[in-house]
Amino acid sequence: MEFINRITQAGVSTQIVSELLTGVEGDFDLGILYICPWPPYDPLSIFQALKAKGNIRHLICCTCAGIIGATREIEGRPSASLMLMRLPQVKIVPFVLSQPVLETLKVKEDWYNFLEVYPNEKPSFIVFADPFAFDGNGFLAGLNEAYPGMPIVGGLASAASGPGENTLILDGEVMREGLVGACLTGNLRVETVVSQGCRPIGETFIVTKAQRNIIYELAGRPFYKVLEEVLNKGTDYDRHLAHEAIFVGIAMNEYKDKFKRGDFLIRGVMGVEPQSGAGVVGDHMRVGQTVQFHLRDGRTANEDLHELLKQYKAQAQATSAHGAFVFSCNGRGINLFGEHDHDIRIIQHHLGPVPAAGFFCAGEFGPVGGINFLHGFTNSMALFYPQQL
């Protein structure tokens, strides 16, 4: 198994492709190309030139607001990042999925027929979707049911401000909406680290009254009263962050005695109903769930990424991954941390040197507690190992 990454900020398609393929020889099973398509970058012409010149069996392309390479992150400027993979004894099932086709995949058997892949094959998925005209949560719900516990990683294309402006390409098929991706089975193990960039505040509470995405009561008391008490016990800085944004962490395993980083799915508090004191959150809630309020800022996100990678390295079954994909929210980067190359620098510090590629997303796919979700403000990474070490 071999992964090779190249990035470039060259000017025209031929020069771009030449730089991306510098020093690259031989055939590859899979290539994934991320393009930040500011002029003069044209995604389709770059893709076609790369496909013509490179010996790549399957090639996927996604446009984005910024790219990530093994040592650099380039935001808001013309750039491209390419990951090339040799994957011996790995079956690659590339697929495209439109919204109308997604709506026909109603039960597990529909997914098995569509992909011709079954749960006993232990598949991993790497996917890229348009955020405007595709139901990413519906897609995840279908795959989570059909292939429970299997990782789905990737992100939402981020180069556009409106429908039809992103470009997704799989081999010869160009999509302006929908999803492109690859299902991988065989001699491959994919491990994930999802950093949601938050820290908990206060204690945990049981949801005692909820409907749809509204929490009415926590531990028998109005949602807002509980939140108010938690913030009153916090610091001035906590209250400052809460004024900017407050989050609810939903415990993925309610039977744990103690919770640690990575045990919560983070969802934003969208608002509070003045009369009832109920909280409107960014997910469906149910009675009996364990939740804890969370806060987020650059310092917290930095700490969270460091700590999760330390935890992962301490329990990793191999000294070094063969390759890594990094999907970082476009709200991170220079906007959140005030410095370039933040996430990739920390990843290489803990896990490197490792070939790495990715992009700044409009939403990130990744598992929390063994279930795949669509996230925001998250760094979701996939680490690739051969199954037979």
Side-chain angles (χ1 to χ4, degrees), residues 14 45 164 189 241 243 281 355:
T14 54
S45 64
R189 187 176 86 252
L241 291 181
H243 180 73
V281 301

Side-chain angles (χ1 to χ4, degrees), residues 66-377:
I67 61 99
I68 299 172
T71 60
R72 294 182 62 196
E73 299 172 356
I74 302 173
E75 303 175 60
R77 287 176 286 161
S79 52
S81 178
L82 173 68
M83 181 74 95
L84 295 171
M85 290 159 273
R86 293 189 178 100
L87 301 171
Q89 299 177 306
V90 173
K91 182 174 79 170
I92 302 170
V93 181
F95 62 98
V96 299
L97 188 58
S98 66
Q99 181 63 33
V101 173
L102 174 64
E103 292 170 5
T104 69
L105 304 177
K106 299 183 182 301
V107 296
K108 293 185 288 185
E109 289 71 20
D110 294 336
W111 286 97
Y112 305 152
N113 292 332
F114 175 70
L115 293 169
E116 297 184 348
V117 174
Y118 300 90
N120 65 312
E121 297 179 76
K122 300 188 183 306
S124 301
F125 298 86
I126 182 165
V127 296
F128 312 105
D130 178 74
F132 297 104
F134 186 77
D135 181 5
N137 286 314
F139 166 76
L140 290 175
L143 278 193
N144 279 329
E145 182 181 6
Y147 306 98
M150 298 298 101
I152 305 168
V153 293
L156 300 182
S158 56
S161 58
E165 297 175 5
N166 281 306
T167 302
L168 303 167
I169 312 174
L170 172 60
D171 295 333
E173 189 162 358
V174 180
M175 305 276 286
R176 300 296 180 183
E177 57 186 34
L179 174 144
V180 297
C183 174
L184 308 175
T185 65
N187 185 29
L188 179 77
R189 187 176 86 252
V190 177
E191 299 185 359
T192 59
V193 179
V194 177
S195 174
Q196 299 177 86
C198 286
R199 63 175 169 87
I201 180 173
E203 59 187 290
T204 59
F205 299 93
I206 303 297
V207 177
T208 51
K209 186 178 180 182
Q211 185 178 16
R212 296 188 299 276
N213 66 327
I214 301 173
I215 303 176
Y216 291 96
E217 292 181 359
L218 296 172
R221 293 179 292 154
F223 174 92
Y224 183 73
K225 288 293 184 183
V226 176
L227 173 58
E228 193 175 45
E229 290 177 13
V230 167
L231 293 177
N232 285 339
K233 293 177 182 178
T235 65
D236 289 341
Y237 186 62
D238 290 340
R239 287 185 285 276
H240 167 73
L241 291 181
H243 180 73
E244 298 293 327
I246 187 75
F247 302 86
V248 167
I250 307 166
M252 291 290 93
N253 182 351
E254 298 154 12
Y255 302 103
K256 276 194 169 185
D257 295 327
K258 295 182 179 180
F259 296 99
K260 66 180 188 310
R261 291 182 188 274
D263 289 338
F264 293 94
L265 173 66
I266 304 300
R267 290 296 187 249
V269 177
M270 316 304 291
V272 175
E273 292 184 345
Q275 293 183 339
S276 66
V280 181
V281 301
D283 211 332
H284 278 67
M285 304 299 301
R286 58 176 174 79
V287 171
Q289 286 180 306
T290 299
V291 301
Q292 188 169 15
F293 291 108
H294 281 68
L295 300 170
R296 175 186 283 143
D297 66 347
R299 183 172 66 189
T300 296
N302 175 76
E303 176 187 292
D304 188 64
L305 185 58
H306 271 293
E307 290 302 315
L308 284 172
L309 289 172
K310 284 180 185 177
Q311 289 177 21
Y312 175 78
K313 188 175 181 180
Q315 64 188 16
Q317 299 180 23
T319 55
S320 181
H322 285 223
F325 283 101
V326 182
F327 306 108
S328 188
C329 179
N330 56 16
R332 293 172 69 97
I334 190 72
N335 293 321
L336 185 63
F337 301 110
E339 61 181 272
H340 293 289
D341 311 325
H342 178 274
D343 284 1
I344 194 61
R345 176 174 47 80
I346 292 174
I347 291 167
Q348 293 292 4
H349 171 75
H350 289 284
L351 306 179
V354 57
F359 73 105
F360 287 91
C361 314
E364 305 76 53
F365 296 112
V368 175
I371 303 172
N372 298 287
F373 295 96
L374 182 57
H375 307 275
F377 289 94

